[in-house]
Amino acid sequence: MRNIFLVIKREYLVRVKKKSFLVMTLLGPLLFVGFYAAVIWVAIGSVDTKTVQVLDESGLFRSEFKNSETLAFTFIDGNIDSAKADFRKTDANALVYIPKNVIKEPKSVRIYASKNVSMDLKSEIEKVIEKEIEDIKLSEAGITHKILEDSRVNVNSETISLSEEGEKNSSSAAATAIGGVCAFLIYMSVFIYGTQVMRGITEEKTSRIVEVIISSVKPFQLMLGKIIGVALVGLTQFLLWIILTTALTSATSAIVSSQISKESPQVQQEMEKMQNGMPSKGVPGSNVENPMTEILGAVSSLNLPLIIGCFLFYYLGGYLLYSALFGAVGAAVDNDADTQQFMLPITLPIIFSFVFAQFVLRDPDGSLAFWTSIIPFTSPIIMMVRIPFGVPAWEIALSMLLLVIGFMGTTWLAARIYRVGILMYGKKVTYKELAKWIFYK
């Protein structure tokens, strides 16, 4: 144990003292905020206004196509042949042709463009035409426009969980968001820190430093100490990121609030009214509760102690299971280029887990969700997707037990490869060769 502790201490101190660790720890929160700000800015600002010409021979849709920030409609007259000829001379993005018999033959609508139109534009145009045709047909059946408007209602239901302890508010949106975030963090951590273990071992092997270390420490102790040391580095970085992100978010909110109160006392007054849940006369949507209050309320409806505890367990379990395999690959090869042939079998279960998570979010209690949250190679990601929705205690216990057994199995397997591969140079390793190393005595 003393040797393992010394290796853990060396790995931890060497990595946290690196300039790259300090830079990434400080820049991480800024990069996260900048990334999401860039995504929002691109989503809002990257869409130019599209000009769409409409040739409506039926005369039914002139008042239905409304201009917006992204779409500008212009109506033209004449026949379709002349419209197509004129369209080539303009800068318009699309030409929509609606024939006279569109009510009887709705599939006769045509959209012309110099190149393929986007799915959003096609969908927007089709939606307007479908809605108007539907209204016309219902009106012909004796249903008035007022009845149609009254029949269109939005249902916003409240979800409540029933248990032996009684009723408790729940939030499907918060459970989906928290589950998705936890799964994504584990997915990224396994790749980032597992790769660090692999490259660290390869570098020590290439520089022959490992030959000096092996003279004092057993290969298994060296591998285990390195894996745990990098895990502690990852946890340290996560903790610092949470603290810095919280501080950054709080400071930004305080600065924005201060600027709003200085520049526009009226806006500040309206915000205070909204925070207090008071209706604000003349302000559209002022009867809606503060969105931040709704988000915090939704998150607080979840079992946060259980989620945080399980996240730490599955984060460490998933990392330890996969980093042992990454370490075995690093010991088996002489350089980074040779690692590619062994990376695919390790990364495939992680990628499959992330893909399966999209389906598990839709049915967190299905058979796919159950089996993938029990199998150790997929359980760290899938179980964290399920837990915010509520999982029986025995399933969590079984999943944790199998994950621990899986980690012990992969560590044993990796240690057998590591003890031979770490001192093997200049040999092109194959899967057959790795199988022999496992059973060497």
Side-chain angles (χ1 to χ4, degrees):
M1 285 299 295
R2 183 174 178 274
N3 288 338
I4 295 177
F5 176 75
L6 289 175
V7 175
I8 293 172
K9 182 179 177 182
R10 172 184 174 274
E11 288 295 326
Y12 182 81
L13 293 178
V14 166
R15 292 179 186 277
V16 297
K17 288 180 180 177
K18 282 184 177 178
K19 189 179 292 183
S20 58
F21 175 84
L22 297 174
V23 171
M24 281 308 300
T25 301
L26 295 175
L27 287 181
L30 294 174
L31 291 175
F32 283 136
V33 173
F35 172 75
Y36 284 109
V39 170
I40 294 171
W41 179 81
V42 169
I44 296 174
S46 65
V47 180
D48 298 326
T49 301
K50 301 287 189 302
T51 304
V52 180
Q53 294 181 347
V54 180
L55 175 57
D56 180 15
E57 291 183 345
S58 67
L60 300 171
F61 300 91
R62 282 190 172 269
S63 60
E64 300 303 322
F65 288 100
K66 308 291 185 184
N67 291 336
S68 64
E69 293 183 357
T70 58
L71 292 175
F73 296 97
T74 57
F75 289 87
I76 59 176
D77 298 319
N79 57 58
I80 183 59
D81 294 329
S82 62
K84 287 192 287 186
D86 295 338
F87 173 73
R88 296 189 184 94
K89 302 174 186 176
T90 65
D91 296 329
N93 299 96
L95 167 64
V96 179
Y97 170 62
I98 305 174
K100 290 181 180 177
N101 58 347
V102 65
I103 302 297
K104 294 182 179 178
E105 298 181 12
K107 293 185 178 180
S108 59
V109 175
R110 297 286 182 269
I111 300 176
Y112 299 93
S114 56
K115 54 186 180 180
N116 285 336
V117 297
S118 66
M119 285 299 296
D120 285 346
L121 177 58
K122 182 173 180 289
S123 174
E124 185 72 21
I125 293 169
E126 290 175 346
K127 187 168 66 177
V128 171
I129 297 174
E130 286 171 358
K131 178 177 177 299
E132 182 59 18
I133 292 175
E134 182 181 332
D135 288 353
I136 291 173
K137 289 190 174 182
L138 288 173
S139 297
E140 289 176 352
I143 301 174
T144 62
H145 185 72
K146 185 176 184 306
I147 295 175
L148 286 175
E149 291 298 326
D150 292 342
S151 65
R152 293 180 181 128
V153 295
N154 292 322
V155 177
N156 186 12
S157 63
E158 182 180 0
T159 57
I160 300 171
S161 62
L162 291 173
S163 64
E164 296 178 354
E165 300 173 356
E167 298 183 4
K168 182 181 178 184
N169 287 336
S170 61
S171 172
S172 302
T176 302
I178 295 295
V181 169
C182 290
F184 180 73
L185 289 176
I186 293 176
Y187 172 80
M188 293 297 296
S189 302
V190 168
F191 267 118
I192 293 174
Y193 298 112
T195 306
Q196 282 190 19
V197 172
M198 183 182 68
R199 288 182 175 170
I201 291 174
T202 305
E203 287 174 4
E204 288 181 353
K205 180 180 177 181
T206 306
S207 62
R208 303 292 179 100
I209 293 175
V210 71
E211 295 178 7
V212 179
I213 301 175
I214 287 294
S215 63
S216 306
V217 181
K218 292 181 179 178
F220 175 75
Q221 295 174 332
L222 177 60
M223 188 193 73
L224 190 61
K226 187 177 288 293
I227 290 172
I228 297 175
V230 175
L232 294 177
V233 173
L235 281 177
T236 303
Q237 199 163 45
F238 259 124
L239 182 62
L240 291 174
W241 277 345
I242 291 171
I243 294 173
L244 291 173
T245 302
T246 304
L248 184 64
T249 305
S250 302
T252 304
S253 300
I255 293 172
V256 172
S257 301
S258 174
Q259 291 296 321
I260 289 176
S261 62
K262 288 180 181 176
E263 294 178 3
S264 179
Q266 186 177 359
V267 173
Q268 176 67 17
Q269 187 179 6
E270 295 296 340
M271 291 182 64
E272 289 177 354
K273 288 179 179 179
M274 293 177 68
Q275 288 174 354
N276 294 329
M278 297 173 58
S280 178
K281 188 177 180 180
V283 179
S286 59
N287 56 342
V288 178
E289 292 184 1
N290 186 359
M292 183 57 69
T293 304
E294 286 188 17
I295 294 172
L296 293 176
V299 172
S300 64
S301 67
L302 303 174
N303 190 347
L304 292 179
L306 176 66
I307 293 173
I308 294 172
C310 288
F311 174 77
L312 292 175
F313 179 86
Y314 282 104
Y315 167 81
L316 287 174
Y319 162 78
L320 292 173
L321 186 144
Y322 279 103
S323 60
L325 297 176
F326 278 116
V329 172
V333 300
D334 292 337
N335 53 65
D336 288 341
D338 293 338
T339 61
Q340 301 305 317
Q341 61 175 323
F342 300 112
M343 287 286 285
L344 185 62
I346 300 175
T347 54
L348 273 181
I350 310 173
I351 296 172
F352 282 152
S353 301
F354 198 68
V355 174
F356 290 155
Q358 319 307 317
F359 301 101
V360 172
L361 283 171
R362 293 159 55 185
D363 185 12
D365 296 321
S367 56
L368 175 67
F370 173 78
W371 288 110
T372 51
S373 61
I374 295 298
I375 298 171
F377 288 98
T378 54
S379 63
I381 291 177
I382 302 298
M383 185 55 87
M384 281 314 305
V385 172
R386 295 185 62 200
I387 283 176
F389 291 92
V391 180
W394 71 268
E395 290 188 21
I396 297 177
L398 178 61
S399 173
M400 288 181 170
L401 176 64
L402 292 179
L403 182 58
V404 172
I405 294 174
F407 160 64
M408 294 171 66
T410 55
T411 303
W412 175 84
L413 187 71
R416 304 289 291 183
I417 296 174
Y418 186 88
R419 64 185 179 129
V420 180
I422 199 68
L423 297 176
M424 188 76 72
Y425 297 97
K427 187 173 184 179
K428 203 71 173 177
V429 181
T430 63
Y431 284 105
K432 186 177 180 181
E433 192 74 21
L434 288 179
K436 289 182 180 177
W437 291 359
I438 294 173
F439 298 103
Y440 277 169
K441 293 183 178 179

